[in-house]
Amino acid sequence: MRSVERVRDDACPGGRGHTAVVVGSDDGLLDVVVPWLEAGLAAGDVTVLSCAEETAELLRSAVGAPDTELLSDPRVALRGARAPDAVVATRRLLDRAAASPSGSLRVLGAPEFGPDPRTWREGQRYESVVNDLLAGSPLDALCFYDQRQLSAEVVASAGQTHPHLLLDGVRVASAGYLPPAQYLPALPLPREPMEDGPPLFAVDGAEELAPLRHQLAAVLATCVPDREQVGDLHLAVSEIAANAFRHGTPPVSARVWASPDRVVCTISDRGAGFADPLAGFQPAHGDDLSRGGMGLWLARKLWDHVDLVPGPGGLTVRLSSPLH
């Protein structure tokens, strides 16, 4: 019989934090996770599953809790959502938890990393930045990394992006943890393969923002068949171009590459770029969108992959997405 007392918080007073656990079977998952979920329900936490629906059903059955008690929100773990929207979803759950008996939120997550290193990087970034974005919140998040589904590289990154690990039912400090300001710059930023070929569109030394925006709209319209997607992609790249003109150092350059299933766009200037590792994961000025500061945030909301690539000649913002 499983015991709630098995999960001890020796290195995390109050039982709150961002913790990872590695599992390799359904039984191993249940042994670790069920006591942790039961503890949250017993304490009156708002308790949420953010994982594949079949896993959620397995856990509900094992806990014996209906979905009215053991809630589900896949977005928190990047399932059907990009990082800025996952952060918003978590904050809304925190607002809901504020009215709960404990005032706390407990989230079990199986982060979505996708099929290749490009998508792994987005998941790893998110797992890192939430440590700062949600610092001080009444949140206990346990992320399980399933060795049957994730690459060895992704599993190994759990210790770098989580301040705590769950080992044999005991929460301990992760010796390999790196705060976002150290972890994010160390992530590799390989070139997109299309960057090695000729661009569909190229401009160097753009003199004004408005003509560049029109040019980008025209080229995206030729290579992005979905009208809604082309509107979203153009809105975001226009804001990145605006940032380059307003806050960067001229000259401003732009490139677009396209294939039948993917589009890549870069905006470059001679500036030093963003020092804040959290840039773009939330609006620069918080909830007051009237103050601006939304360019990189919109890009992360509307493009699948956003890379800030510093170089000796300045900063390049690289945007890429699969085509719908």
Side-chain angles (χ1 to χ4, degrees):
M1 182 176 181
R2 299 182 181 92
S3 170
V4 170
E5 286 73 26
R6 185 183 174 205
V7 180
R8 307 200 318 272
D9 296 310
D10 297 359
C12 187
R16 291 177 184 167
H18 188 208
T19 304
V21 62
V22 178
V23 300
S25 67
D26 286 349
D27 286 342
L29 173 67
L30 294 174
D31 284 344
V32 170
V33 165
V34 169
W36 185 84
L37 292 171
E38 290 174 342
L41 293 170
D45 295 349
V46 169
T47 304
V48 180
L49 303 176
S50 190
C51 54
E53 185 54 36
E54 58 268 26
T55 304
E57 289 302 318
L58 176 69
L59 292 168
R60 286 196 187 95
S61 178
V63 173
D67 55 13
T68 54
E69 294 181 12
L70 203 50
L71 307 178
S72 178
D73 194 330
R75 297 171 298 172
V76 175
L78 297 181
R79 295 177 176 271
R82 297 184 178 103
D85 298 315
V87 172
V88 169
T90 304
R91 287 184 168 146
R92 287 177 177 168
L93 288 168
L94 283 165
D95 290 342
R96 178 172 179 172
S100 69
S102 70
S104 297
L105 174 65
R106 184 170 291 227
V107 176
L108 176 71
E112 179 62 67
F113 287 97
D116 56 49
R118 179 195 288 122
T119 58
W120 300 345
R121 193 165 65 242
E122 294 301 327
Q124 290 166 329
R125 282 176 180 156
Y126 175 66
E127 285 282 72
S128 179
V129 298
V130 292
N131 292 295
D132 282 358
L133 288 175
L134 301 175
S137 300
L139 168 65
D140 191 9
L142 177 61
C143 300
F144 68 89
Y145 282 58
D146 193 330
Q147 292 176 306
R148 297 169 296 177
Q149 300 174 5
L150 301 175
S151 71
E153 180 181 334
V154 168
V155 172
S157 73
Q160 297 176 296
T161 58
H162 292 74
H164 301 93
L165 300 175
L166 199 59
L167 302 174
D168 297 324
V170 179
R171 196 185 322 235
V172 301
S174 172
Y177 173 69
L178 295 172
Q182 295 179 37
Y183 180 76
L184 296 180
L187 277 176
L189 292 174
R191 288 173 64 83
E192 287 278 354
M194 278 193 287
E195 289 182 89
D196 294 325
L200 181 65
F201 168 81
V203 61
D204 292 307
E207 296 182 358
E208 295 181 356
L209 175 59
L212 179 58
R213 279 178 160 164
H214 289 308
Q215 290 171 317
L216 289 167
V219 71
L220 288 172
T222 68
C223 61
V224 180
D226 184 279
R227 295 299 92 189
E228 182 176 352
Q229 185 181 26
V230 76
D232 287 346
L233 299 186
H234 179 246
L235 171 62
V237 76
S238 292
E239 288 300 311
I240 295 300
N243 280 351
F245 276 95
R246 292 169 187 161
H247 308 298
T249 302
V252 174
S253 302
R255 299 282 187 278
V256 177
W257 294 262
S259 70
D261 61 357
R262 189 166 198 83
V263 62
V264 177
C265 181
T266 62
I267 303 291
S268 304
D269 69 81
R270 297 285 183 175
F274 298 88
D276 181 3
L278 306 184
F281 290 95
Q282 59 186 357
H285 302 297
D287 294 335
D288 185 1
L289 302 184
S290 66
R291 298 177 60 193
M294 296 184 294
L296 196 54
W297 178 69
L298 275 173
R300 293 198 190 280
K301 283 173 65 68
L302 299 175
W303 288 73
D304 277 36
H305 309 291
V306 179
D307 296 316
L308 308 183
V309 186
L315 176 76
T316 294
V317 180
R318 182 178 63 199
L319 314 171
S320 65
S321 274
L323 298 179
H324 296 170

